[in-house]
Amino acid sequence: MPVADSYDGFLIDLDGTVWVGGEPVPGAAAALASLRRAGRRLVFVTNDSRSSAAELAGRLREIGVDADPEDVLTAGAVTARAAARGRRRAYVIGAPALKREVEEAGLDLCPPAGAAGADTVVVALHPGFDYSELRAATRALHAGASLFATNREPSLPMPDGHWPGTGAILAAVEFAGGRRATICGKPEHELFEQALARLGTPAERTAIVGDGLRSDIAGGAGARIGSILVLTGNATRAEADEADPVPDHVLESIAELA
Ligand SMILES: [Mg+2]
């Protein structure tokens, strides 16, 4: 039986799955179109909070994938909504797209000088992270603010080697602030819960398709949905065999889902 027949809804990872470093994976757009023609529901999910859902939907359309902003769930948006529950003022360490998500979730943004008045601190990757941001977040946390972050990834593979990831920035904030963050992106449950709510398919008929063993596959297992590893990103078949949890299916590429 083809893998796609086991599921009615799919969470589709973007980087390493639909595109790799900006280049579309050959056959990805055709495979996604054929899933939709067969009545499957799709939501695109990413731990990258540097682009908004609207920007990512635009990038998907550029490579031939039909997508509206409502079809894309970023860890930034998921984290912003979680941070906004019962809170009013946020100090944000992150890219402009994350700051917009936090405002759209209903929180007021605190400037660094007013960070001690924030009731939540939200952390994600941005290359301008510096000591003054760390100082502002530290003041907020010691004044009682809660702490949320998109993920805990230590580093990012880049063409010239590894760059520090969100987890590296978060480690500094947690250490100075004396508080541990609630993580809302993959592999934690918040992103999966919001994605399942958007798909409306039952967990046992839903699967995540992604290239990350620790983010996509582990998160899928935690959310009790199916998991499909694609080998167009970082993971190899040998690593998939050794992984815990192991993916339910391993495909060379998302194109094989057609
Ligand atoms: Mg990926």
Side-chain angles (χ1 to χ4, degrees):
M1 183 169 81
V3 170
D5 288 356
S6 299
Y7 306 104
D8 299 319
F10 293 92
L11 286 66
I12 310 283
D13 172 53
L14 290 174
D15 202 21
T17 301
V18 174
W19 50 60
V20 179
E23 285 297 309
V25 168
L32 293 167
S34 90
L35 288 176
R36 281 197 168 124
R37 274 197 306 277
R40 304 304 193 284
R41 297 180 60 85
L42 310 180
V43 62
F44 298 93
V45 295
T46 177
N47 264 4
D48 192 343
S49 57
R50 289 169 294 176
S51 302
S52 68
E55 288 161 347
L56 291 166
R59 219 174 293 166
L60 283 163
R61 288 195 299 274
E62 278 170 25
I63 66 162
V65 178
D66 188 22
D68 291 322
E70 300 74 51
D71 298 326
V72 181
L73 204 49
T74 70
V78 167
T79 305
R81 283 195 284 269
R85 282 182 209 127
R87 299 179 189 86
R88 293 187 296 131
R89 293 179 305 277
Y91 179 68
V92 178
I93 293 174
L98 177 68
K99 291 181 177 171
R100 288 196 299 273
E101 301 279 14
V102 167
E103 284 189 297
E104 282 169 21
L107 288 161
D108 292 331
L109 294 180
C110 290
D119 48 16
T120 185
V121 173
V122 180
V123 175
L125 188 63
H126 86 121
F129 176 63
D130 66 13
Y131 187 84
S132 65
E133 291 186 323
L134 179 59
R135 185 175 59 204
T138 302
R139 290 175 61 223
L141 293 170
H142 280 277
S146 59
L147 178 58
F148 290 84
T150 51
N151 66 75
R152 201 179 279 287
E153 288 166 16
S155 63
L156 307 172
M158 297 295 280
D160 64 348
H162 278 73
W163 291 15
T166 304
I169 295 172
L170 181 60
V173 172
E174 287 180 326
F175 191 60
R179 191 173 287 260
R180 191 155 169 95
T182 301
I183 305 294
C184 299
K186 297 178 284 185
E188 301 302 330
H189 66 273
E190 185 74 40
L191 181 140
F192 287 87
E193 274 178 22
Q194 291 190 25
L196 279 164
R198 206 168 283 197
L199 285 172
T201 51
E204 65 273 15
R205 292 288 302 171
T206 306
I208 183 163
V209 184
D211 69 308
L213 285 165
R214 283 186 308 175
S215 52
D216 303 309
I217 305 307
R224 298 173 190 277
I225 64 173
S227 62
I228 302 168
L229 182 77
V230 292
L231 300 176
T232 42
N234 283 316
T236 64
R237 198 173 284 275
E239 286 167 344
D241 291 342
E242 303 273 294
D244 180 25
V246 292
D248 294 320
H249 310 275
V250 180
L251 302 178
E252 289 299 322
S253 151
I254 193 171
E256 290 182 16
L257 274 182

